[in-house]
Amino acid sequence: MRPSRRGEVAPFYVMEVMKAASEREKASGDVLHLEVGQPSTSAPAAVLQAAAEGLTSNRLGYTDATGIPDLRRRIAEHYGNRYGISVDPGRVVVTMGASGGLVLAFLAAFDAGQRVAVTEPGYPCYRNTLEAFGVEPVPIPVGPTTRFVPTAELLAQAGSLDGLMIASPANPTGTALRPDELADVAGFCKENGIRLIADEIYHGIEYGDRVPTALSVDPDAVVLQSFSKYYSMTGWRLGWMVVPEDLVRPIERLAQNLFISAPTLSQLAALAAFDATDELDANVVRYAANREILIDGLGEVGLNHFASPDGAFYFYIDVSHYTDDSQELCRVWLDGLGVACTPGIDFDPAQGHRYVRLSYSESTEDIAEATRRIAGWIRSHES
Ligand SMILES: Cc1ncc(COP(=O)(O)O)c(C=O)c1O
């Protein structure tokens, strides 16, 4: 007997960094968390209120595998309100976070042995989950020349593909595909019979123009979304997908078998999330202020080798001027400065040793203090 090869999947290193940071926190109490990829706020008040009501008024049994009909309708409406796009609620599937959506999308769309393009750097769980399912992740190296977003030219160099996974805005760079770039990539996929899966988990956290949904250029794209980021509900484990007609039944069957349904209390609570925009937009204002503090503070000491993030709450910084081993640099910053950051190897096995990801979702005081400490370290290493 031996464990399956699927279990040999690479770890999600961010989680390991978080573990090291919390160990140091327990030992010395002083850690500024720039490694975490989650809002530092709780769910909005209206969501908490709806959850409290759900606890007493609802039996909290299973729901339909695709979610509570009212929530699916509310999500479909959201596409009309936000993007001016009409979505049939029958194409909305409520999932256990975007992570649950990824599992369903990959299983429904691809057979073992097929080839799915993922950007490098990119969110590591795409690559790791595809690998666990026996689907081949095909790395598309993206860098500063394209603001870390994929292009049709880069995809054309990747050989034959069955799928493309994009995230816009992306983790770890925060950069987003502009409307023409998204149209080009979607057009390439259409021409070449490539299934487009778009992770839009960071929509709502934007610092300039509104980021377009893939549905605006390809109504048959598979779109993943979540209540984790803009809606500030990571631990509620709730997300959704908008799926094309041909995947509705396959995904429903898979969801029935794999999960039965997404958490009922979270679904009831999430009904209130779409009306909490004032509170949620205030979080985005804070992220924007944090982003400026980092741009200014790190820029002053010349740590400015990154693409300006269009959304999300990350900087992906080229630190090759200081080290060829960003994992070691993160250890030095954690041990010496009490600042936890994530080394790039999680996001890019090839080039990540030259990069560090900083998250600025924490309080403005913490981000300002972390900026001061990192800038101080840079100064002392320049002199
Ligand atoms: C790009 C991206 N997609 C998906 C996820 C998973 O999120 P969820 O909490 O919705 O499962 C994350 C989490 O950090 C992410 O950054």
Side-chain angles (χ1 to χ4, degrees):
M1 264 200 311
R2 57 159 187 81
S4 85
R5 294 232 161 72
R6 284 183 291 274
E8 288 165 17
V9 67
F12 186 11
Y13 286 106
V14 175
M15 310 297 292
E16 313 237 325
V17 176
M18 281 167 74
K19 207 160 84 182
S22 68
E23 271 158 19
R24 183 192 145 108
E25 198 160 34
K26 266 188 239 136
S28 70
D30 171 35
V31 174
L32 299 166
H33 291 279
L34 278 71
E35 86 285 18
V36 287
Q38 64 175 338
S40 49
T41 43
S42 78
V47 168
L48 298 177
Q49 175 67 31
E53 282 161 20
L55 270 180
T56 49
S57 68
N58 193 288
R59 189 169 63 87
L60 299 181
Y62 297 131
T63 71
D64 290 350
T66 48
I68 293 174
D70 278 354
L71 182 57
R72 296 171 73 198
R73 262 194 301 277
R74 193 65 191 79
I75 291 168
E77 257 174 54
H78 168 73
Y79 283 85
N81 298 339
R82 184 181 162 89
Y83 306 101
I85 288 177
S86 159
V87 166
D88 174 357
R91 289 175 49 212
V92 174
V93 180
V94 178
T95 58
M96 269 199 249
S99 307
L102 272 181
V103 167
L104 292 170
F106 288 165
L107 286 177
F110 307 118
D111 281 316
Q114 288 195 306
R115 289 165 46 86
V116 176
V118 292
T119 61
E120 239 174 39
Y123 181 58
C125 303
Y126 306 147
R127 181 183 74 235
N128 296 344
T129 308
L130 287 167
E131 259 169 12
F133 291 163
V135 181
E136 185 186 341
V138 180
I140 308 290
V142 291
T145 46
T146 66
R147 295 172 17 264
F148 292 91
V149 301
T151 61
E153 292 71 39
L154 289 170
L155 292 171
Q157 293 162 23
S160 118
L161 294 172
D162 300 293
L164 167 65
M165 181 76 229
I166 57 170
S168 177
N171 180 1
T173 58
T175 55
L177 287 130
R178 297 185 178 137
D180 56 323
E181 294 169 336
L182 187 59
D184 272 1
V185 164
F188 180 87
C189 288
K190 204 100 281 124
E191 275 161 34
N192 293 282
I194 298 167
R195 173 90 66 183
L196 175 63
I197 304 185
D199 184 344
E200 302 187 347
I201 189 169
Y202 292 105
H203 278 218
I205 306 177
E206 292 140 348
Y207 306 111
D209 292 341
R210 212 168 242 197
V211 175
T213 170
L215 295 172
S216 64
V217 290
D218 179 6
D220 289 331
V222 179
V223 165
L224 301 176
Q225 244 288 21
S226 175
F227 288 96
S228 286
K229 308 294 173 165
Y230 172 72
Y231 299 95
S232 195
M233 295 172 63
T234 44
W236 300 68
R237 305 311 302 129
L238 202 69
W240 74 83
M241 282 194 282
V242 179
V243 304
E245 283 301 338
D246 69 320
L247 291 186
V248 169
R249 273 297 285 158
I251 283 180
E252 184 174 16
R253 288 193 297 260
L254 284 161
Q256 289 166 344
N257 281 287
L258 292 177
F259 304 120
I260 301 191
S261 61
T264 306
L265 186 61
S266 302
Q267 293 192 57
L268 293 170
L271 275 165
F274 293 100
D275 298 320
T277 41
D278 287 352
E279 196 177 333
L280 295 169
D281 287 344
N283 294 342
V284 180
V285 169
R286 180 167 50 83
Y287 303 145
N290 294 354
R291 175 180 177 275
E292 291 306 310
I293 288 171
L294 274 163
I295 289 180
D296 292 349
L298 299 183
E300 268 175 30
V301 290
L303 195 56
N304 52 9
H305 303 284
F306 51 81
S308 175
D310 303 305
F313 31 56
Y314 308 114
F315 285 104
Y316 192 60
I317 306 182
D318 183 345
V319 289
S320 56
H321 192 53
Y322 305 99
T323 183
D324 198 31
D325 181 356
S326 57
Q327 205 166 6
E328 175 60 12
L329 183 67
C330 288
R331 201 192 52 72
V332 167
W333 284 359
L334 180 61
D335 290 349
L337 306 180
V339 178
C341 305
T342 308
I345 46 150
D346 219 6
F347 311 100
D348 180 351
Q351 296 297 324
H353 58 98
R354 300 171 44 204
Y355 287 89
V356 165
R357 187 193 75 172
L358 305 187
S359 163
Y360 48 94
S361 60
E362 289 290 308
S363 73
T364 300
E365 298 73 50
D366 278 10
I367 297 302
E369 179 56 26
T371 308
R372 265 192 296 278
R373 291 186 195 178
I374 295 174
W377 185 91
I378 301 280
R379 278 197 194 94
S380 67
H381 283 76
E382 302 266 78
S383 52

